Amino acid sequence: MHETDMTKALIFTVKDWWESQTERPQITEIHLIVGKFTCVEPVSLKFAFEVQTGNTFLEGVELVIQETPLIAFCHRCQQEYAPQVGLQYGCPECDSPMEDIRSGRELKIDRIEYIFDEANKKAYAPNI
Amino acid sequence: MHQTFDAALGINLLHANQKGADHNRAHFDEWGITCFNIMSSPGAGKTVLLERSLAVLTDDLKIAVIEGDMTTELDADRLRQYGVPVIAINTGRSCHLDSKMVAGGIHQLEHQYNPVDFDLVLVENVGNLVCPAEFEVGEHIKVALLSVTEGEDKPLKYPVMFQEADCLLITKIDLAPYLDIDINRIAANVRQMNPHVTIIAVSAKTGEGLEHWFNWVKSQVLNQRSSATATEMLPA
């Protein structure tokens, strides 16, 4: 259920960007970077996005999600490691707690692909 | 004929919520209020903890509560008995409070009271161990509760909530003797992912540990005040 709210937040954020453009473009793809150490399940997010964007300016837009793994850095061992989510978060070498997360907490709109349709461009042009 | 363009955004997916949270926090800072976001699964004991806290802390602090609940005002009514302003927010089908909902609560507080009179706003979030962890509401401090009845492994299973928490309250410790549970194991599991968290074990029923919690709350309000004063004194 929380992907529904995540999607709402995503749509608000994209809408902010879209409305700030002088000529509102037709968005075709939204590329997200979603870390594995977040509360987001990509499949649910895609489903919620499809449902919530029907009949809106985002209808038919493809949501492309790139997942990043959870990577932490152990300062004692001076090396990165991949904590085992659900089992063990501390360093496998020295057991120091997971303190410095280098990847996995991302919830980012990386980029947006869009088109300017010539016909639309005309429609947006001033008439005087 | 059309051409494809690419806009590199690199902005947080929850940017709109984050902006709202920053706005709320700016209000709290302006009024000299410290804000706690209190989160846990349903039934971990958030409301009873607030009842015990209001009964004691209102001697020293002027407190208001923003009470998130999916459908009812049952919890809000319980807290109103303690003579503090309680602003109830029904989230409907949403499983957490977001910054916009809390902004609505803050505006009510601003209209009905003089906000500079308050020291502390306690936001009781909707019972859920997943979603509230990602949605900031403008708090200075995140408090997570985990009751002994939920099991030692919950921090491992719901890591984001426990990794984000500034304070963990292990609640209902009076029940620990009846359960096959080790409180130190819970603490160790949380510290695996969050070594700097303050952990306080409490029982709202017997009162055990509550004094530590009250002192911690008061110390955080003082810290927040002195850091706000320090910021004001910084050269422009």
Side-chain angles (χ1 to χ4, degrees), chain A residues 2 89 98-99 107 109 114, chain B residues 5 11 13 131 156 192 196:
Chain A
H2 64 274
Y89 297 85
M98 178 178 77
E99 201 165 359
L107 268 179
I109 306 170
Y114 58 96
Chain B
F5 294 87
I11 54 174
L13 192 154
C131 220
L156 304 178
Q192 262 192 51
H196 305 295

Side-chain angles (χ1 to χ4, degrees), chain A residues 65-128:
Chain A
I65 300 176
Q66 185 203 333
E67 282 192 275
T68 55
L70 173 59
I71 303 288
F73 184 79
C74 175
H75 286 272
R76 190 186 287 179
C77 301
Q78 284 295 302
Q79 63 181 19
E80 288 186 346
Y81 68 97
Q84 293 174 273
V85 174
L87 294 171
Q88 171 72 34
Y89 297 85
C91 173
E93 297 291 328
C94 72
D95 216 26
S96 290
M98 178 178 77
E99 201 165 359
D100 191 352
I101 296 176
R102 294 282 164 98
S103 137
R105 285 292 287 140
E106 299 86 352
L107 268 179
K108 201 163 78 175
I109 306 170
D110 186 37
R111 60 193 183 86
I112 290 180
E113 276 188 27
Y114 58 96
I115 51 172
F116 276 124
D117 200 297
E118 284 303 320
N120 280 346
K121 226 176 179 179
K122 251 181 209 158
Y124 281 112
N127 58 2
I128 304 173

Side-chain angles (χ1 to χ4, degrees), chain A residues 16-36:
Chain A
D16 266 0
W17 173 82
W18 187 69
E19 286 177 345
S20 72
Q21 304 300 300
T22 41
E23 289 175 34
R24 294 185 184 169
Q26 173 59 55
I27 297 171
T28 52
E29 287 180 13
I30 299 172
H31 290 254
L32 305 182
I33 297 178
V34 173
K36 293 228 180 195

Side-chain angles (χ1 to χ4, degrees), chain B:
Chain B
M1 187 91 183
H2 58 244
Q3 208 181 333
T4 304
F5 294 87
D6 208 329
L9 260 68
I11 54 174
N12 193 309
L13 192 154
L14 301 176
H15 175 74
N17 185 69
Q18 192 62 49
K19 224 167 63 176
D22 293 342
H23 179 81
N24 292 349
R25 198 176 296 108
H27 272 307
F28 289 133
D29 289 341
E30 183 194 331
W31 298 325
I33 292 175
T34 303
C35 176
F36 281 26
N37 184 2
I38 300 175
M39 301 174 279
S40 77
S41 49
K46 293 185 293 302
T47 311
V48 73
L49 176 83
L50 291 187
E51 286 183 295
R52 300 286 178 273
S53 303
L54 292 175
V56 172
L57 289 172
T58 44
D59 287 346
D60 299 312
L61 300 170
K62 181 105 184 208
I63 303 174
V65 180
I66 294 179
E67 176 65 41
D69 201 313
M70 285 181 78
T71 49
T72 72
E73 286 205 23
L74 292 172
D75 292 349
D77 286 340
R78 274 168 64 183
L79 299 179
R80 285 187 182 115
Q81 317 285 326
Y82 295 85
V84 301
V86 180
I87 295 158
I89 300 175
N90 281 148
T91 59
R93 278 163 293 184
S94 206
C95 48
H96 61 278
L97 287 171
D98 65 23
S99 61
K100 208 172 163 190
M101 298 178 202
V102 170
I106 293 172
H107 288 136
Q108 278 189 51
L109 186 75
E110 194 183 357
H111 286 126
Q112 292 169 23
Y113 306 90
N114 187 359
V116 295
D117 290 345
F118 291 93
D119 303 299
L120 178 64
V121 165
L122 300 168
V123 176
E124 182 178 348
N125 219 310
V126 177
N128 179 348
L129 275 184
V130 184
C131 220
E134 296 283 16
F135 283 82
E136 274 198 27
V137 298
E139 71 274 32
H140 299 99
I141 306 231
K142 287 187 166 86
V143 178
L145 273 66
L146 180 69
S147 59
V148 294
T149 52
E150 292 171 75
E152 296 161 357
D153 58 357
K154 287 302 170 292
L156 304 178
K157 288 182 170 181
Y158 299 87
V160 179
M161 168 68 72
F162 296 98
Q163 194 260 331
E164 289 273 327
D166 298 293
C167 179
L168 170 75
L169 289 167
I170 301 174
T171 60
K172 306 187 188 181
I173 55 168
D174 55 293
L175 295 178
Y178 308 103
L179 303 162
D180 188 15
I181 195 152
D182 179 354
I183 290 169
N184 291 322
R185 192 70 237 148
I186 296 176
N189 282 343
V190 173
R191 288 203 171 104
Q192 262 192 51
M193 64 191 75
N194 186 353
H196 305 295
V197 65
T198 299
I199 302 180
I200 305 170
V202 299
S203 162
K205 193 176 172 74
T206 65
E208 192 181 347
L210 286 179
E211 206 51 44
H212 291 284
W213 160 246
F214 300 149
N215 289 334
W216 190 82
V217 174
K218 286 189 259 186
S219 72
Q220 293 307 304
V221 172
L222 280 176
N223 282 351
Q224 193 55 41
R225 253 189 227 144
S226 54
S227 70
T229 317
T231 313
E232 276 167 25
M233 284 164 68
L234 283 175

